[in-house]
Structures are given as C-alpha cells and as structure tokens.
Amino acid sequence: MAALTRITHKAHLPFPAATAAAGGRRPRAARIRMSLQENGPSLAVVGVTGAVGQEFLSVLSDRDFPYRSIKMLASKRSAGKRMTFEDRDYVVEELTADSFEGVDIALFSAGGSISKELGPIAVEKGTIVVDNSSAFRMVEGVPLVIPEVNPEAMEGVRLGTGKGALIANPNCSTIICLMAATPLHRRAKVVRMVVSTYQAASGAGAAAMEELELQTREVLEGKPPTCNIFKLQYAFNLFSHNAPVLSNGYNEEEMKLVKETRKIWNDTNVKVTATCIRVPVMRAHAESVNLQFENPLDEETAKDILKNAPGVVVIDDRAANHFPTPLEVSNKDDVAVGRIRRDVSQDGNYGLDIFVCGDQIRKGAALNAVQIAEMLL
C-alpha cells in the first residue's frame, strides 16, 4: 500500500510588521465557514499531487470552502496514493475523461495539454472548470479573472444551472502585478506600464523547488550542480525566464503579462512591456513596476489608495529601509507593495514606481482560483 501523505495547513495571517506600516488593516470579510456539508458543491482537484494542487487543498481548508465531496485527481503515475485532507482519507484517482461525472467545480493545475484535452470534456458534463494553465486565457469568451480586479467578467457563470463553463486563472506574474496596479489604474488610468519580474522557483513547479534546494547544497559542498529542470545553474545565480523566446525577442512569460493585462483591464490600447527573470527564491515573486498615467496621481494619494485596496498590504518604511521581500509574503494571502515614489523621469505627477511581492503558489495560483470558485457559490 502506498504511504499515507498527510496534508498540513498553515495559518495565513496578516503581515505583523506591515500592519503598523499600513496604518492598521481592515478586518477580513466574513468567510463562509461550512466545509464538508451535504448542500455544498462537489469538487475535483486536478493535479492534486503537484505544488499548486497541494496548495488548492490548503486554501480550501483555510477558507472553509463548502463542499459535499472532493475528488483527488492526478496522473496514472500518482494514482493509488493515499492522502489525508481535513481528517478524512482519500485515494488519488487517475485522471480520465470519465472523472467529471457529477462534479460541480474542478480546479485544474496539471499543465496546458491536460487542460486542453480534458477541460472541454468536463464542461460538456456540466462542470465549471477553473483552469490554472495558459490553455484558455486568451480564448475569446473565456473569462480571465482576478476577483479583486474584474469580477464582472464572470457574470452569467453560476452553479446549479447544469451548464458547464471555463474560467481561466491569469498567469502568476500578471495577478501579482495587477493586484497593485489596478487600484491606481482605476484612479488615474494607466497608459503605459513597464514591469521587471524576479520570479521564484515555484513558478516552474515542485521539481524546480527541489532542484534549487539540491543545487544550493551541492554548490556549498563544492559539487557540480544538478541541472535537470533548468539548463543553467540556478543556485546563487539568476537568468532570463526559461519560457521560450518568440520572434519579437520577448519570451512567452513576458507576452503573457502584455496580453493578459489588456484582456483583464478590457483595454487594448494600454502599453505594456516586461522583462522576466528567474531568481533563486523558493515561492514568492517580486516585481518592479513603472506606471505612466493619463491623469495626475501623487505618491501620498497612491499610498492611501493601496492601503485600502482589498488583498493588498503596504510595506513602505523609508526611514527603516523596510520594503516588501519574497520571504515576508511567502505563505501569505496578501500582495505587498512598497517603494511607492514619483517617477522623476516624468514631469509632474504622471508617473509612479512601485515594488510588489506576492506568493506565487498562493495568490499567484491556488488562492486566486479558489476565490473564483467562491464567487460561484
């Protein structure tokens, strides 16, 4: 019999240091606290043994998401593994076209090819699919949703109608960026955005996280690093994001930021450019974001807007030189913003620079997907 895997869940609390810096935080909105219940939706977690799949379970538990049943689905290789979730034992089932009978909501994180193959089949069976891959993000008619940013994109998608639907989770770097940029965009309208990302190992999956840890030990011990996931040494190094480079010189990750921002903001005219870098950090992305506005916005007003933005915490202590770091946001729900300052290369208050950090597995993937599912309830 396969070994029993126990899923443990950490508490995800507000930032203690940031709370003071932000001038105190609003209490979180009341959450549905029901979990396992007969009138809840039936769930399926696709890719449950992966990093994001495991985080799906953690977030569902942390947020007391109501469900009457839950299927643990993964590849044939993982089928038969046993795991414990909320004090109940489950056997991981092989993912097939028949896996979605009677499933109301399926959270997918098993890669684009699996989503393209089985996502539409699940929809045909009446399942609402929340897909974490890039498979459907730019497909016309498929909502691309960050609940704090564009919940209106999901209008008309509801449980209980018997009608399935696809909803796409944006790319992690897009989510983290737009959580901070959107409140400012609403006030002053962004006309151009320049993003530089510093992306963690978790974005390439659990195997990349394990390889970073292994390489770190190997390099410190004077051994040649094992490079299976990335072609280059990752420990004590950084390099251009490993996504394929396109004919225009941008890589796919950079173009995701460009295209997804335009779709989510419903603005084909906004100018976006990005440079995406992989850095030896375990699970939280950092992003430097330069914003150019149509209307003036001073830095103090911008700080006040961000302090009151849902899902955002401001860490901006110039005297102590304390600003967001990947470690501070790891295993946290909120995206942290700091280094909020006027862009001195532009006249007046028509430009700002900000620095953003967010947990790639959590808000960049699993939390956002579960928040989408909550909107269906």
Side-chain angles (χ1 to χ4, degrees):
M1 182 180 290
L4 187 72
T5 303
R6 183 163 294 277
I7 309 298
T8 57
H9 306 286
K10 300 177 182 177
H12 297 270
L13 304 173
F15 297 77
T19 303
R25 285 187 48 73
R26 306 172 311 289
R28 293 183 186 273
R31 297 194 308 221
I32 300 165
R33 303 192 64 85
M34 291 181 274
S35 285
L36 188 63
Q37 58 166 16
E38 281 305 311
N39 60 349
S42 56
L43 305 182
V45 176
V46 178
V48 70
T49 56
V52 175
Q54 292 287 289
E55 200 71 16
F56 280 149
L57 297 181
S58 180
V59 175
L60 288 168
S61 181
D62 289 346
R63 297 176 73 85
D64 299 293
F65 190 95
Y67 61 93
R68 70 174 181 271
S69 64
I70 184 167
K71 280 188 177 183
M72 309 296 185
L73 301 173
S75 66
K76 187 174 183 178
R77 186 179 66 251
S78 297
K81 288 183 179 178
R82 300 180 67 84
M83 56 174 56
T84 298
F85 174 64
E86 296 197 327
D87 299 320
R88 289 173 178 264
D89 291 343
Y90 295 86
V91 176
V92 176
E93 300 175 41
E94 181 182 354
L95 175 64
T96 71
D98 298 322
S99 295
F100 302 100
E101 294 289 348
V103 172
D104 295 318
I105 302 172
L107 304 174
F108 269 64
S109 189
S113 60
I114 295 293
S115 293
K116 285 178 182 176
E117 179 189 353
L118 295 177
I121 292 173
V123 171
E124 284 177 13
K125 294 179 184 292
T127 302
I128 297 177
V129 172
V130 184
D131 181 46
N132 193 55
S133 80
S134 61
F136 305 107
R137 288 176 187 153
M138 299 311 299
V139 174
E140 191 171 346
V142 175
L144 182 65
V145 179
I146 305 171
E148 297 90 340
V149 173
N150 64 330
E152 69 282 355
M154 281 178 56
E155 284 179 10
V157 183
R158 286 289 175 269
L159 279 177
T161 64
K163 186 179 179 183
L166 280 167
I167 304 169
N169 218 25
N171 194 40
C172 48
S173 52
T174 306
I175 294 172
I176 291 164
C177 176
L178 296 192
M179 283 293 294
T182 300
L184 306 178
H185 174 59
R186 287 178 179 144
R187 173 64 67 93
K189 188 170 172 56
V190 172
V191 294
R192 184 169 187 260
M193 182 166 70
V194 181
V195 186
S196 298
T197 72
Y198 313 93
Q199 295 184 223
S202 57
M209 298 169 76
E210 291 165 7
E211 184 162 292
L212 174 58
E213 188 176 339
L214 173 63
Q215 281 193 13
T216 302
R217 287 198 303 269
E218 289 172 335
V219 172
L220 289 173
E221 292 168 2
K223 299 175 182 176
T226 300
C227 298
N228 293 328
I229 306 301
F230 303 115
K231 296 176 183 176
L232 298 167
Q233 178 180 320
Y234 193 14
F236 306 99
N237 193 23
L238 55 83
F239 46 82
S240 182
H241 194 281
N242 48 291
V245 178
L246 307 172
S247 60
N248 65 359
Y250 285 72
N251 62 44
E252 287 183 359
E253 187 79 2
E254 292 157 352
M255 290 309 298
K256 287 175 186 176
L257 253 169
V258 174
K259 294 175 181 178
E260 291 177 20
T261 296
R262 290 172 176 165
K263 180 171 179 175
I264 291 165
W265 280 357
N266 192 27
D267 184 353
T268 57
N269 295 319
V270 65
K271 295 177 169 66
V272 181
T273 186
T275 301
C276 295
I277 303 298
R278 189 73 77 183
V279 297
V281 169
M282 198 54 77
R283 62 173 287 157
H285 289 352
E287 305 185 21
S288 168
V289 184
N290 175 268
L291 300 166
Q292 182 179 340
F293 301 108
E294 184 176 282
N295 304 303
L297 178 63
D298 65 85
E299 61 187 44
E300 288 307 316
T301 302
K303 276 187 191 178
D304 288 340
I305 291 169
L306 290 167
K307 285 176 183 177
N308 289 288
V312 173
V313 63
V314 173
I315 304 177
D316 197 79
D317 187 343
R318 295 179 182 180
N321 201 8
H322 180 207
F323 304 103
T325 67
L327 277 179
E328 281 179 288
V329 300
S330 292
N331 294 296
K332 299 288 201 312
D333 286 349
D334 291 342
V335 168
V337 188
R339 300 300 316 279
I340 304 160
R341 62 204 190 277
R342 185 177 76 85
D343 176 0
V344 298
S345 74
Q346 299 188 52
D347 293 333
N349 289 313
Y350 288 88
L352 285 174
D353 285 297
I354 60 176
F355 187 68
V356 188
C357 288
D359 187 300
Q360 181 275 328
I361 308 178
R362 203 151 175 98
K363 181 55 184 173
L367 172 62
N368 198 78
V370 172
Q371 287 176 307
I372 290 170
E374 287 174 341
M375 291 170 63
L376 299 168
L377 298 176

